[in-house]
Amino acid sequence: MRPSGRNLSQMRPISIETGVMAHAEGSCLIRVGNTHVLCTASLEETAPRFLKGTGLGWVTAEYGMLPRATNTRNRREAATGKQSGRTQEIQRLIGRSLRAGIDRSALGERQITIDCDVIQADGGTRCASITGGWVALRLAVNKLLKAGAITSDPVMDHVAAVSCGIYAGQPLLDLDYAEDSEAGTDGNFVLTGAGRLIEVQMSAEGATFSRDQMGQLLDLAEGGMAELVAAQKAAVV
């Protein structure tokens, strides 16, 4: 039995509320169980300097966690004067993942920045950020299309992510914090709506895993993706 009482292949409840920020070109509040992330998309009509003259656009991301998103208060990173290595790694993952679903030529020489702010954390914050970040990105692109600023849709496919792991010897889908903190193997799977892999992050946390177990976790992730993509589609209708 999982600590949460869920079945091995059961996702936490998913909800995505859009239009939660008045000034952002795209925004949503994604809830995956007790993990809540505010995602916004901000459009700039110029691309980064390294893309000047290439005709290519750029999607990047920033990630942060509110001090009381967790059980104990975390000091704001701004107060320390630098981001942690974990924060930098996560925001790079979000940016890479979302760029994989974008035709940068169709976007043109402009940049969209996705901000992911964790309001409440209970495991899977990077996965929720990617899933909600895609919704914010989709809404921002919709505004560009409606305004006639671009004529071809640069969003090629859905992008979402889910965590899976081996807990008490069993493969589990969508780990919450209690499961993630005790998992022998932990993995994050980023996929497209068509089931193409963008990135897989897997590591042994005190116990090695087999190729067969890795395949079992991927199978679980693919099942979870169907629910995540369905929630994305419902949010951007």
Side-chain angles (χ1 to χ4, degrees):
M1 178 66 71
R2 304 177 66 167
S4 62
R6 287 179 285 145
N7 296 328
L8 301 181
S9 60
Q10 185 178 356
M11 293 281 296
R12 290 173 287 177
I14 306 161
S15 70
I16 305 176
E17 179 185 357
T18 60
V20 294
M21 298 293 285
H23 303 297
E25 281 74 25
S27 67
C28 75
L29 175 61
I30 181 169
R31 299 180 178 92
V32 182
N34 286 324
T35 289
H36 304 167
V37 185
L38 176 64
C39 303
T40 58
S42 300
L43 173 67
E44 298 174 64
E45 284 295 339
T46 56
R49 290 180 61 185
F50 67 88
L51 291 175
K52 187 73 173 178
T54 65
L56 299 175
W58 192 246
V59 175
T60 189
E62 294 188 12
Y63 168 95
M65 189 176 289
L66 295 183
R68 281 315 303 266
T70 53
N71 288 332
T72 58
R73 185 182 187 276
N74 292 307
R75 192 179 182 193
R76 294 182 190 272
E77 292 186 341
T80 68
K82 64 178 182 179
Q83 291 180 316
S84 68
R86 175 183 180 273
T87 294
Q88 293 180 54
E89 183 264 325
I90 290 175
Q91 62 190 26
R92 287 169 183 159
L93 168 66
I94 299 167
R96 285 196 305 272
S97 299
L98 296 178
R99 284 194 298 274
I102 287 287
D103 179 347
R104 292 166 53 208
S105 296
L107 182 59
E109 286 193 31
R110 50 177 56 87
Q111 175 170 284
I112 299 177
T113 301
I114 308 298
D115 286 293
C116 301
D117 292 289
V118 179
I119 298 172
Q120 183 169 284
D122 186 32
T125 61
R126 72 187 66 196
C127 294
S129 295
I130 291 168
T131 304
W134 183 90
V135 171
L137 175 63
R138 171 75 271 181
L139 294 172
V141 168
N142 285 350
K143 286 194 174 182
L144 286 172
L145 288 165
K146 185 176 181 179
I150 54 177
T151 56
S152 178
D153 188 357
V155 179
M156 299 183 294
D157 201 351
H158 289 257
V159 174
V162 68
S163 64
C164 300
I166 307 292
Y167 174 86
Q170 296 290 324
L172 306 183
L173 173 65
D174 187 24
L175 305 178
D176 58 28
Y177 178 76
E179 296 162 342
D180 182 45
S181 61
E182 297 292 333
T185 299
D186 181 25
N188 298 299
F189 296 82
V190 188
L191 295 94
T192 68
R196 303 282 294 178
L197 288 167
I198 295 174
E199 188 155 341
V200 176
Q201 300 178 327
M202 286 194 66
S203 60
E205 299 285 349
T208 59
F209 58 93
S210 67
R211 180 184 287 241
D212 285 344
Q213 286 176 316
M214 184 169 68
Q216 290 173 347
L217 295 183
L218 178 56
D219 289 342
L220 285 173
E222 289 176 339
M225 276 294 297
E227 292 188 49
L228 292 168
V229 169
Q232 288 177 330
K233 288 181 177 178
V236 298
V237 168

